[in-house]
């Protein structure tokens, strides 16, 4: 599985962005998909995960209520809708395929990151 994340950009505090993670490969729907992020000088951290069918999701406390993860298996794409963005959301965002877990080691396939910058 190859993944490509896109949709990042420079936004203002309170704005919204939608990230997309497009996958190649016929087995995409057999994987859970997670989003992670890495801010400058910090370790990569879990953001959200969605299960294979899309009916179960789990979020980091820092984004709960503001971010929504969804998927369209017909389009081999997972989305991360980010609302009410804050400066602390500034990071490179990565998508990954693997197990339904917030733990990085549960993911076998990673996409390149997309930069999100929230300016105050």
């Amino acid at each position: 599985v190859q993944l490509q994340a896109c949709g990042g950009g420079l936004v203002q505090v309170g704005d919204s962005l939608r990230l997309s993670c497009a996958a190649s490969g016929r087995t995409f729907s057999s994987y859970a998909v997670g989003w992670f992020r890495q801010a400058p000088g910090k370790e990569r951290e879990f953001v959200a995960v969605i299960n294979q069918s899309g009916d179960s999701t789990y979020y980091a406390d820092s984004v709960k209520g503001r971010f929504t993860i969804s998927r369209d298996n017909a389009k081999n794409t997972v989305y991360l809708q980010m609302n009410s963005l804050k400066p602390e959301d500034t990071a490179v965002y990565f998508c990954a395929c693997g197990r339904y877990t917030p733990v990085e080691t549960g993911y076998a396939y990673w996409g390149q990151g997309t930069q999100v910058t929230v300016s105050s």
Side-chain angles (χ1 to χ4, degrees):
V1 177
Q2 291 186 323
L3 304 172
Q4 181 156 358
C6 62
L10 173 63
V11 296
Q12 301 293 316
V13 170
D15 283 353
S16 298
L17 270 180
R18 189 177 79 159
L19 305 184
S20 298
C21 175
S24 63
R26 295 175 295 173
T27 59
F28 173 73
S29 60
S30 65
Y31 294 101
V33 178
W35 284 97
F36 291 77
R37 67 186 181 185
Q38 187 168 21
K42 295 188 177 181
E43 294 187 353
R44 190 158 57 187
E45 65 175 4
F46 167 77
V47 175
V49 60
I50 190 166
N51 71 343
Q52 289 86 333
S53 61
D55 59 2
S56 183
T57 58
Y58 180 72
Y59 298 91
D61 287 344
S62 59
V63 306
K64 200 173 298 180
R66 299 188 297 121
F67 291 12
T68 302
I69 188 171
S70 61
R71 70 188 297 163
D72 185 340
N73 285 338
K75 295 183 178 179
N76 276 11
T77 302
V78 168
Y79 305 98
L80 185 68
Q81 178 67 43
M82 306 186 296
N83 298 329
S84 303
L85 283 162
K86 304 175 181 180
E88 51 263 43
D89 295 318
T90 294
V92 178
Y93 284 71
F94 300 87
C95 59
C97 280
R99 295 189 292 113
Y100 184 69
T101 176
V103 180
E104 279 193 48
T105 54
Y107 294 85
Y109 304 98
W110 290 81
Q112 94 295 350
T114 185
Q115 176 72 48
V116 173
T117 303
V118 184
S119 173
S120 56

